Amino acid sequence: MTTDPQARTGDADVLLRATDVTKHYRLRGDSLTRHRKVLRAVDGVSLEVRGGETLGIVGESGCGKSTLGRCLVRLTDITGGRVEFDGQDITTLSARRLRPVRPGMQLVFQDPQASLNPRRRAGDIVAEPLLIHRYGDAAAVRRRVAELFDVVGLAAAHLDRYPHEFSGGQRQRIGIARALATAPKLIVADEPVSALDVSIQAQVLNLFADLQDEFGLTYVFIAHDLGVVRHVSDRIAVMYLGEIVELADTETLYGAPAHPYTEALMSAVPEIDDGTGDPDAPRRERIVLTGDVPDPAARPAGCAFHTRCPYAREVCAVQRPPLAMAPSGRSVACHYPLVAAA
């Protein structure tokens, strides 16, 4: 096995590469000791996203998914490591030098209401990136915005409405139209359906799929709902306490998780009996983890998951397992993986 989790990927296929990315925040010092703790929101993440694929990122709330997504598109500066987009190192680019790179990578936010300016009309919100990047005159921008509204399933008559006049699903469509305005190659979708009604989620997910087919988009899809991630992703990275603990293609991961944390996450997904399965097949055992997620500002030694892992042994408490990749393409950070990643 190799410790490089992306060793088999050719450079020509890679649109986005993160290498040992960290994002740390210094917290206010204790009033007595004045000792300032460091919160490790993202702690040494390496991954690659190939052009045209969807990489899902899952994990519990607070595991660093959203922070990682912002780091990947340089909305948040990283503490250490390297981020490359479309063959260019963007890690330390200034705002001025980053500006021509921005059109190629966009972000769809979690809360469609909070991400839209309530004082601006929907058409003006979508037009803003076009104006910033000097798309054309006012008439050309207006035509382009009307086209984008049509692409995401909104009528041109909606251009002059304000965000509060739309439903939650329609507001998210506006956010998607804004992300599409600059014809990006990469979209980071940060839990884009978690704030929507279940009845609307499927419509928005289908929209993402249609847009990917039509425009050849590449997605980094962040979510805590494993059912959603399975539906949209080609590969899935599982995060725990700021690091990736398992990365594999979707069917491999769901068929037989190798990391104990992934196994616990999968056991929480409801099983639906549609009448087509084997009635005598064993039901998946629900795994209830004990304890709480450790404080990211006081990360335990060794494997971060060993304090809650039902399979932990002595070495797990002292030695941090690397994210190692097997020839099969599965990567897992565990001393005793549940599935041999051969």
Side-chain angles (χ1 to χ4, degrees), residues 226 262-271 284-288:
L226 282 86
T262 310
E263 180 189 47
L265 286 180
M266 297 299 178
S267 76
V269 178
E271 293 186 275
R284 184 168 49 210
E285 181 183 356
R286 177 74 167 91
I287 299 173
V288 180

Side-chain angles (χ1 to χ4, degrees), residues 47 55-59 65 68 72 220-223 229 236-237 239:
L47 56 81
L55 175 68
I57 300 179
V58 299
K65 305 185 302 294
L68 174 61
L72 294 178
V220 174
F221 201 97
I222 299 168
V229 172
I236 297 175
M239 286 191 70

Side-chain angles (χ1 to χ4, degrees), residues 15-325:
L15 180 63
L16 177 73
R17 176 184 285 112
T19 306
D20 294 328
V21 169
T22 61
K23 179 58 184 178
H24 298 167
Y25 295 95
R26 289 195 173 274
L27 306 180
R28 187 182 300 274
D30 183 270
S31 59
L32 296 178
T33 65
R34 299 296 180 185
H35 176 67
R36 298 187 69 182
K37 292 184 177 181
V38 176
L39 189 152
R40 301 174 182 270
V42 179
D43 197 17
V45 168
S46 294
L47 56 81
E48 290 179 350
V49 185
R50 297 187 284 269
E53 79 166 336
T54 298
L55 175 68
I57 300 179
V58 299
E60 294 174 280
S61 297
C63 72
K65 305 185 302 294
S66 295
T67 302
L68 174 61
R70 289 172 173 268
C71 289
L72 294 178
V73 295
R74 279 290 311 275
L75 280 185
T76 298
D77 289 333
I78 66 176
T79 304
R82 180 185 178 98
V83 177
E84 299 169 73
F85 174 71
D86 205 13
Q88 181 179 5
D89 185 355
I90 64 171
T91 310
T92 58
L93 291 184
S94 64
R96 180 179 64 83
R97 295 179 61 194
L98 192 60
R99 183 167 180 168
V101 182
R102 287 285 185 208
M105 51 183 187
Q106 295 293 315
L107 195 146
V108 175
F109 297 92
Q110 176 178 355
D111 187 346
Q113 182 167 355
S115 66
L116 302 179
N117 189 335
R119 295 181 177 85
R120 303 196 66 185
R121 299 179 191 273
D124 294 334
I125 291 172
V126 176
E128 186 172 11
L130 297 171
L131 297 173
I132 291 173
H133 294 285
R134 301 177 181 179
Y135 176 80
D137 59 21
V141 170
R142 183 80 176 183
R143 286 194 299 271
R144 174 61 176 161
V145 172
E147 292 172 0
L148 290 167
F149 268 53
D150 181 63
V151 165
V152 300
L154 296 173
H158 293 158
L159 268 65
D160 294 321
R161 294 184 182 180
Y162 288 93
H164 74 270
E165 298 179 87
F166 294 92
S167 67
Q170 288 175 322
R171 283 194 289 265
Q172 193 59 290
R173 289 173 186 266
I174 296 171
I176 294 171
R178 177 175 58 185
L180 291 173
T182 56
K185 295 181 179 180
L186 171 74
I187 291 181
V188 175
D190 184 11
E191 304 213 35
V193 298
S194 63
L196 305 179
D197 292 340
V198 174
S199 59
I200 304 300
Q201 288 183 5
Q203 297 177 22
V204 176
L205 291 175
N206 289 336
L207 174 62
F208 273 108
D210 292 341
L211 294 174
Q212 187 171 41
D213 291 339
E214 183 175 354
F215 300 111
L217 296 170
T218 302
Y219 293 140
V220 174
F221 201 97
I222 299 168
H224 64 269
D225 187 326
L226 282 86
V228 168
V229 172
R230 183 176 188 177
H231 178 70
V232 302
S233 302
D234 300 302
R235 293 186 300 139
I236 297 175
V238 181
M239 286 191 70
Y240 182 79
L241 209 64
E243 63 180 290
I244 292 178
V245 296
E246 185 168 2
L247 193 158
D249 69 78
T250 300
E251 293 309 313
T252 297
L253 191 81
Y254 277 80
H259 197 282
Y261 177 62
T262 310
E263 180 189 47
L265 286 180
M266 297 299 178
S267 76
V269 178
E271 293 186 275
I272 301 175
D273 184 2
D274 59 4
T276 62
D278 182 359
D280 298 323
R283 307 292 290 179
R284 184 168 49 210
E285 181 183 356
R286 177 74 167 91
I287 299 173
V288 180
L289 297 176
T290 59
D292 298 322
V293 179
D295 183 354
R299 188 187 184 281
C303 174
F305 187 59
H306 84 267
T307 58
R308 306 172 71 196
C309 180
Y311 311 106
R313 306 183 194 178
E314 290 183 5
V315 67
C316 302
V318 295
Q319 183 177 338
R320 182 175 179 176
L323 182 65
M325 183 180 186

